[in-house]
Every structure is written in C-alpha cells, then in structure tokens.
C-alpha cells in the first residue's frame, strides 16, 4: 500500500511536469530589442516597444504558450546581455553572421536585406566617391553594416572616416546638419527612414544580402525549437502578410 501510494504521488508529479511543458514556458521571457531600428524593433513616441518583430513575437508567444516582454537596449551590448542571462532571446532585425553564430544560435531566417548608403537628397557625390574622398560615414555600432565598413576601410584606395552611433536614428539626426556625409544601414530601415524626409539611397554595397533570424543562447535548444516552430506557423498564417503590409516590408 505504502509503495503504491508513493508511486502514485510521484507519477502525478511527473505527469504535471510533462503537461506543464518546459520550465521557461512557465514564466515571462524577455526579448531584447534595439531601441531605434524601425520598422523591426524600436521605442515609439509613447515610450512603448513597437515594430514588426515585436508584433511577430507577441503572436508567436500566444500561439506557443508563453508570455513575453520586450526590453530595449544598446545594440552593441545585446549579445553579451543574452549570454549573461539578462534577456532570453533577441528578435529585432538581427543579421545571421558566421561571427555571431560562434556565440549564439539562430532560428530559421525570416527576412532578407541588402546594405545601402543613405545621403541627403541634394548630395551630388557618387556612391563610390563617398569612400575615396575623406567623407564621414555614419553607422550604428555593433551592426553587420558597421563590420562591413571596418573591413572596407582596410581596402587599398579607400579613404573615409567611420562615425559610430548608438542607433541609426542618431546618425540620421546628424546627417542633415552636415556632421556626416552619409549613413550606412540595412535597406529595410533605409526605406522607413526616407518616408517624408529629404534623404535618398546613394547606392548598394557589393556584398551578399543578409538574412534576419532570432538569436538564443547556445544551450537553449528547446527555446530555439519553440521559436522555430512559432516562426513557421506565423509565416504560414495570413497574419504574416498583414504584418509585412503594415510595416511596409512586402
């Protein structure tokens, strides 16, 4: 009797644990986002996290049975914050690169972008001359585009200064003032930034397109699988097209 009762209690506990799912599903997960990277992740005029990735993750969380909060933070410290357990994953327009894959795992890709240079509408300097005539080029620090410029500056014949910012928005505040001559960024954010403003794309960098993915810690394979499953469901749902249309990502 005693053994049978003990086994029954133990079995019930195990069953509850199975039904409850993974431990992380029982608490709110924190998604780290860029505070100034529209349309994917940013803080709106009311001080609330917003953007394509924010709404995508909200949908995935509801479908996959967990809750999520979005934590804006400086982009150049976002991966260290992830690996220090200050956040649980990153869904904010992060490019999948070989360097980043050494320290985090990525979900399946969900969007593709190119790298472009944005200048003032009246700028007459050609795209190529921007990088050979001592111009100042702004870029958000810690981004794939920042790495691209650093590598590009080492090439023979190149002559330009890199001005790194905490966000692309900050670089675009300096561009009209003449503090920089151009700002390098992903094509998706360039399209957003140009809306109703006197900017234009001077040209596209001669590099392979980037793919965006969500980043998780190397050890969090269960969370990675859940996010992958959620992304697949989202991309197969009509809501995916609605989101892309809403954020002008079609």
């Amino acid at each position: 009797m005693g053994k049978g009762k003990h086994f029954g209690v133990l079995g019930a506990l195990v069953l509850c644990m199975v039904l409850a799912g993974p431990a992380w599903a029982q608490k709110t997960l924190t998604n780290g986002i860029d505070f100034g990277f529209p349309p994917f992740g940013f803080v709106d005029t009311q001080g609330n996290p917003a953007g394509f990735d924010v709404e995508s993750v909200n949908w995935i969380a509801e479908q996959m049975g967990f809750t999520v909060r979005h934590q804006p933070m400086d982009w150049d410290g976002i991966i260290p914050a992830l690996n220090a357990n200050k956040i649980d994953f990153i869904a904010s327009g992060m490019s999948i690169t070989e360097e980043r894959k050494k320290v985090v795992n990525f979900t399946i890709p969900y969007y593709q972008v190119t790298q472009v240079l944005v200048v003032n509408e009246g700028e007459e300097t050609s795209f190529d001359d921007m990088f050979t005539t001592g111009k100042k080029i702004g870029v958000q620090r810690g981004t794939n585009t920042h790495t691209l410029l650093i590598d590009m500056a080492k090439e023979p014949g190149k002559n330009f200064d890199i001005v790194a910012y905490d966000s692309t928005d900050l670089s675009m505040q300096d561009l009209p003032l003449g503090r920089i001559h151009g700002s390098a960024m992903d094509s998706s954010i360039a399209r957003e930034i140009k809306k109703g403003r006197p900017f234009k794309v001077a040209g596209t960098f001669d590099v392979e397109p980037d793919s965006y993915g969500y980043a998780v810690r190397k050890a969090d394979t269960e969370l990675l699988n859940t996010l992958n499953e959620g992304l697949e469901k989202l991309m197969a749902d009509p809501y995916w097209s609605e989101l892309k249309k809403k954020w002008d990502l079609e």
Side-chain angles (χ1 to χ4, degrees):
M1 281 293 284
K3 284 186 178 180
K5 186 176 181 180
H6 178 72
F7 178 79
V9 172
L10 180 62
L13 288 172
V14 171
L15 179 60
C16 286
M17 292 175 66
V18 170
L19 292 176
W24 52 258
Q26 303 309 303
K27 63 180 182 179
T28 298
L29 296 181
T30 301
N31 170 35
I33 67 167
D34 193 331
F35 62 80
F37 195 70
F40 288 90
F42 61 99
V43 177
D44 66 18
T45 54
Q46 285 75 47
N48 300 312
F52 177 79
D53 281 325
V54 169
E55 293 192 29
S56 294
V57 170
N58 288 343
W59 189 94
I60 290 171
E62 184 176 350
Q63 294 294 313
M64 301 306 295
F66 63 90
T67 56
V68 63
R69 64 183 290 266
H70 304 279
Q71 178 62 53
M73 53 187 15
D74 289 336
W75 192 249
D76 60 340
I78 203 164
I79 288 181
L82 174 66
N83 284 327
N85 296 309
K86 294 179 180 178
I87 55 177
D88 297 297
F89 63 101
I90 303 165
S92 187
M94 176 169 277
S95 297
I96 301 171
T97 68
E98 292 304 314
E99 281 300 305
R100 287 171 175 162
K101 284 163 69 174
K102 293 176 183 178
V103 291
V104 297
N105 283 337
F106 283 99
T107 62
I108 57 174
Y110 64 92
Y111 197 75
Q112 195 173 70
V113 295
T114 55
Q115 307 298 318
V116 301
L117 181 71
V118 175
V119 297
N120 289 314
E121 207 165 50
E123 179 63 63
E124 296 181 358
T125 308
S126 70
F127 176 79
D128 290 337
D129 287 348
M130 278 283 178
F131 302 98
T132 58
T133 56
K135 301 292 187 183
K136 293 182 179 180
I137 307 300
V139 67
Q140 182 177 0
R141 61 171 52 89
T143 61
N144 199 36
T145 318
H146 190 192
T147 302
L148 169 64
L149 289 183
I150 292 171
D151 292 341
M152 193 174 175
K154 300 173 184 176
E155 297 175 4
K158 298 301 183 187
N159 176 24
F160 65 95
D161 294 324
I162 300 170
V163 182
Y165 293 86
D166 287 336
S167 74
T168 304
D169 281 347
L170 291 176
S171 75
M172 298 310 294
Q173 292 175 24
D174 276 359
L175 181 58
L177 301 176
R179 292 173 179 161
I180 56 175
H181 301 96
S183 183
M185 64 191 73
D186 290 355
S187 54
S188 56
I189 189 172
R191 182 165 53 186
E192 184 74 15
I193 279 173
K194 289 192 305 163
K195 292 177 181 176
R197 302 171 72 184
F199 303 128
K200 66 180 181 180
V201 171
T204 302
F205 291 92
D206 185 21
V207 292
E208 290 294 317
D210 285 341
S211 293
Y212 287 168
Y214 300 167
V216 303
R217 286 181 287 273
K218 285 286 188 180
D220 289 346
T221 54
E222 195 166 18
L223 177 56
L224 179 66
N225 292 337
T226 297
L227 291 175
N228 272 331
E229 184 180 345
L231 263 175
E232 289 174 347
K233 287 183 176 181
L234 175 56
M235 289 189 285
D237 193 274
Y239 185 57
W240 182 246
S241 293
E242 292 176 24
L243 277 180
K244 289 197 292 183
K245 184 177 181 179
K246 175 180 178 178
W247 295 103
D248 195 21
L249 292 171
E250 292 282 17

